[in-house]
Amino acid sequence: MSITLNSVTKIWGREAPPAVDSVSLDVETGEFVALLGPSGCGKSTTLRLVAGLDEPTSGRILIDGRDVTAAPAEARGIAMVFQNYALFPHLSVRDNILFGLQVRRAPKAEQAERLEEAAALLGLTQLLDRKPNALSGGQQQRVALGRAVVARRKVLLMDEPLSNLDAMLRQEMRQEIRALQKKLGLTVLFVTHDQAEAMSMADRIVLMQAGRVVQVDAPERLYARPAHEFAARFIGAPPMNLLPLDKGRVAGFAPRGAPSGAAWLGVRPEAMRFAETGLPATVEARDYLGAETLALCAAGPARFSVRLAGAGAPDPGAARAVAWAAEDQHFFAADGRRLEPEPAASLMGERNPA
Amino acid sequence: MKRRALIPYLLLAPGFVLLAAFTHWPTILSFWSSLFTTARGRRPSVFVGGENYAAALSDPIVLKVLWNSALYAAVTIPASIALAFVMALWVNDRLPGRGFARLAYFTPTILPMVAAANIWLFFYTPGFGLLDQVLGLFGIPSTNWLGSDQSALWAVMVVAVWKEAGFFMIFYLAAFQAVPPSLGEAARLEGCGRWGYVRRVLIPLVAPTTLFIAVNALINAFRVVDHIFILTGGGPNNATNLLLFHIYETGFKFWDTAGAATLTMILLAILGALAAVQFFLLERRTHYR
């Protein structure tokens, strides 16, 4: 089942700016889409609008081609996993999973069959008689998934489902959720503020800021071709270096092919290296991270980091030239838009003056 | 070293002294004096053992009073708890003016029972009381609510429920607000209606609060008799005579201190037994987070 949002807007108060600002989006059947953004960007509100827990101020929501904008939550045929899992603390794992079927008075035999299937799928068979507070975080997470599985709903909404787990478990659950989604052919809309989660799990990422969609793309595209300065700053760890340009120059150095009107030059730390010629910079500090070291550098007003393999980095205070390939450059206008480099860029570079 | 060992006892002393002086010692004294006859004139007090108890339990007035108290508790406790639950559900919703509604429901709690009883005395007054005036509009003749032994106890119960429910509502309101809203949303997504949510989720989740309220309601049902003084004075024909009120009259109107001490011990035994039952039975069926 597909999900379509058609310029959906949600305004909470008359004075407040819109929490969700004309968001349009298509999620195809069987697709895993992550809503990514900093806290307060409207991603959770968007999810709640799809779930029917809140009503949009304007715009339309379609599930499987059917307009559900005014439909109550239970009529939308969706399942949802909440950030705190929303397990009923007074019910056993069995009754938590069967809650929906019991409410809908499904036949006992069918309940038992579906329970067995869901429990086996999620490895909960041994835990059915426990209460939620006797389970670990990962097990609680599985029970929440079990509730979605047992309902045999084809659309699954997840609101920061991994944020309450420790790092190890998070890694494990990422793969488990992805495998479950593939196996059951679920359409998943997944809210997260953790880019690693979004990058590793999603088919496509919807990057949001201040209620608006900044970019919708596959993780690789989002990383390789950020469409906006915000996407460049948000994606990647550490994020892309953004060097301020003054009339096409940064600290007197002219990068090749800077289009007119470019206010920022973006280069990823991993695309930068120390070389014989290039942007003259001073190493200010080092961040040793084990497999790599970040050299924090300054060049005029620009502050940026260079990613080096291993522990070898110049001592603070050292002067070095920093170089990068022309195809690793990203230019952004003052309003954040991506600008394409001048077509003749490769012929006009600093290192091959005409 | 010895002085250090004393410090915990010194810190416990104020509480212990207060409890001992005003609770434990009087209890023991009451029990002691319930074993003797009341001294009258030239007849001194004599040890009679359990005779006072035998006399009390064969006294038709005492039996009537015990029955009244049992009925009073059996009706007012569930009624005030149910009403408190419904009122709390109502004012927990996002409705306009809910602060005002909460205040309105809580007002009877702030009023002293004597003041509340006076207000209801006006409601119940035959002929020109509020109740009769309203009923009169529908052609129902004037009723002496507090004067007839058919209706007097029920009229007194209504006052008690009205007075208690607002107080219990506050506890339910606090309990409801501790329930994460995502539970309600999860239930909604499963197609669980409002009543289903209340029955399947809310009532079991606030069970500890219900237990707490039930214990308090039980104690209050036997402990608060101020309104009897104002509304009926125990009449007509002992129809509204409750155990504590009867103890007061026996002790301080008829000056039968031994009889009052005997009834006090009976009251203590009843309360102790009921509290024990509540804790041991409900505790097991109550889910604590």
Side-chain angles (χ1 to χ4, degrees):
Chain A
M1 296 213 285
S2 61
I3 306 170
T4 304
L5 275 71
N6 212 326
S7 47
V8 169
T9 297
K10 177 70 187 178
I11 299 170
W12 287 114
R14 218 170 296 163
E15 304 293 311
V20 174
D21 195 351
S22 50
V23 166
S24 292
L25 185 65
D26 273 300
V27 181
E28 281 158 37
T29 305
E31 200 179 17
F32 194 119
V33 171
L35 290 170
L36 176 67
S39 42
C41 73
K43 55 194 192 300
S44 283
T45 308
T46 306
L47 194 77
R48 292 174 58 85
L49 293 175
V50 175
L53 295 173
D54 291 318
E55 261 181 63
T57 310
S58 65
R60 295 198 312 147
I61 298 168
L62 288 83
I63 294 178
D64 213 17
R66 195 167 58 92
D67 190 336
V68 295
T69 316
E74 69 270 18
R76 297 188 179 197
I78 50 153
M80 184 160 170
V81 174
F82 292 82
Q83 180 169 7
N84 60 4
Y85 317 133
L87 301 181
F88 302 113
H90 61 293
L91 297 179
S92 64
V93 169
R94 172 181 287 108
D95 288 334
N96 260 293
I97 294 178
L98 288 177
F99 186 85
L101 295 182
Q102 286 172 350
V103 166
R104 293 191 288 278
R105 301 225 163 77
K108 281 271 184 291
E110 190 190 339
Q111 287 189 19
E113 186 198 318
R114 288 217 216 168
L115 173 70
E116 198 179 323
E117 183 190 302
L121 190 63
L122 292 158
L124 289 169
T125 313
Q126 306 297 317
L127 305 172
L128 288 177
D129 292 316
R130 297 233 194 131
K131 292 277 174 70
N133 58 13
L135 300 179
S136 70
Q139 290 166 337
Q140 292 186 18
Q141 171 78 82
R142 284 200 191 91
V143 178
L145 283 168
R147 232 164 29 186
V149 168
V150 87
R152 295 197 178 146
R153 304 258 166 97
K154 286 297 176 195
V155 176
L156 178 57
L157 309 179
M158 304 180 98
D159 188 5
E160 307 240 9
L162 303 179
S163 58
N164 287 355
L165 302 178
D166 61 61
M168 281 282 281
L169 211 51
R170 208 176 298 176
Q171 198 98 18
E172 228 176 275
M173 287 308 294
R174 268 189 219 165
Q175 279 157 21
E176 238 176 82
I177 291 175
R178 187 68 172 144
L180 189 72
Q181 180 254 342
K182 282 258 181 345
K183 188 167 181 184
L184 301 176
L186 302 174
T187 307
V188 175
L189 198 54
F190 183 101
V191 163
T192 180
H193 64 268
D194 180 353
Q195 50 159 316
E197 237 166 75
M199 299 287 269
S200 63
M201 293 170 83
D203 296 317
R204 280 194 302 155
I205 294 175
V206 178
L207 184 66
M208 292 185 71
Q209 183 203 16
R212 290 173 168 277
V213 172
V214 175
Q215 187 172 0
V216 184
D217 248 323
E220 302 79 20
R221 293 270 302 167
L222 200 62
Y223 176 81
R225 265 185 68 87
H228 193 277
E229 176 216 327
F230 175 77
R233 275 186 202 280
F234 199 82
I235 304 291
M240 184 181 280
N241 292 312
L242 285 167
L243 294 77
L245 290 176
D246 184 19
K247 297 192 185 77
R249 289 170 172 271
V250 50
F253 172 86
R256 283 177 287 170
S260 61
W264 300 96
L265 164 64
V267 185
R268 295 218 174 263
E270 49 271 39
M272 284 180 157
R273 63 200 147 76
F274 293 123
E276 295 300 312
T277 56
L279 171 66
T282 315
V283 177
E284 290 199 318
R286 286 182 301 195
D287 254 358
Y288 174 63
L289 299 172
E292 66 204 32
T293 305
L294 292 179
L296 308 175
C297 303
R303 295 284 177 282
F304 57 93
S305 54
V306 179
R307 190 178 200 164
L308 304 160
D315 288 324
R320 287 285 190 280
V322 177
W324 56 83
E327 62 266 28
D328 289 327
Q329 297 188 127
H330 307 264
F331 294 100
F332 300 100
D335 63 0
R337 252 176 330 114
R338 182 186 180 87
L339 298 172
E340 292 310 319
E342 298 288 331
S346 55
L347 298 176
M348 313 245 310
E350 175 94 332
R351 262 174 290 173
N352 355 301
Chain B
M1 277 316 280
K2 261 204 163 160
R3 215 178 273 169
R4 281 192 79 87
L6 261 176
I7 286 175
Y9 294 101
L10 281 176
L11 291 173
L12 285 173
F16 181 75
V17 167
L18 280 176
L19 266 179
F22 295 106
T23 306
H24 302 145
W25 185 240
T27 309
I28 295 166
L29 274 188
S30 292
F31 177 66
W32 186 247
S33 55
S34 74
L35 303 176
F36 292 83
T37 58
T38 310
R40 295 213 190 263
R42 277 182 290 160
R43 258 183 305 159
S45 169
V46 195
F47 181 83
V48 290
E51 246 173 62
N52 282 333
Y53 289 90
L57 292 175
S58 59
D59 180 351
I61 293 180
V62 171
L63 294 179
K64 169 85 178 151
V65 163
L66 283 174
W67 167 248
N68 283 346
S69 289
L71 191 63
Y72 181 86
V75 172
T76 59
I77 294 170
S80 55
I81 290 177
L83 189 61
F85 188 89
V86 172
M87 291 196 307
L89 269 186
W90 175 250
V91 299
N92 192 35
D93 266 342
R94 296 169 167 277
L95 74 155
R98 78 174 165 179
F100 182 76
R102 285 180 186 175
L103 181 69
Y105 285 158
F106 193 61
T107 311
T109 307
I110 313 168
L111 282 180
M113 190 51 145
V114 172
N118 271 306
I119 293 171
W120 279 86
L121 197 57
F122 162 70
F123 290 167
Y124 283 142
T125 307
F128 58 89
L130 186 72
L131 212 54
D132 266 3
Q133 295 218 10
V134 172
L135 290 175
L137 295 177
F138 300 97
I140 296 166
S142 161
T143 319
N144 191 352
W145 299 102
L146 292 169
S148 129
D149 56 2
Q150 311 272 303
S151 62
L153 187 59
W154 297 96
V156 169
M157 288 179 191
V158 168
V159 179
V161 170
W162 178 84
K163 179 87 172 71
E164 297 270 87
F167 185 50
F168 298 153
M169 175 201 75
I170 294 295
F171 294 105
Y172 272 130
L173 196 53
F176 290 167
Q177 287 179 350
V179 175
S182 60
L183 291 188
E185 289 167 351
R188 231 169 97 197
L189 283 167
E190 297 288 2
C192 187
R194 198 174 156 73
W195 165 237
Y197 173 66
V198 168
R199 188 170 61 87
R200 288 173 186 271
V201 181
L202 215 47
I203 289 179
L205 278 186
V206 300
T209 306
T210 305
L211 175 62
F212 172 78
I213 292 176
V215 171
N216 271 284
L218 178 71
I219 294 167
N220 279 355
F222 284 93
R223 197 189 58 136
V224 181
V225 291
D226 313 20
H227 52 317
I228 306 289
F229 286 89
I230 305 295
L231 291 170
T232 61
N237 191 20
N238 289 316
T240 59
N241 202 347
L242 300 179
L243 188 50
L244 190 59
F245 186 81
H246 187 56
I247 292 173
Y248 171 83
E249 287 207 312
T250 309
F252 301 104
K253 264 192 167 166
F254 316 143
W255 294 107
D256 177 6
T257 46
T262 308
L263 290 172
T264 304
M265 293 320 293
I266 293 174
L267 174 60
L268 271 181
I270 294 172
L271 279 182
L274 286 177
V277 167
Q278 270 186 327
F279 266 110
F280 291 120
L281 274 189
L282 290 180
E283 180 96 345
R284 219 172 297 161
R285 278 196 268 150
T286 301
H287 163 81
Y288 286 99
R289 250 173 300 185

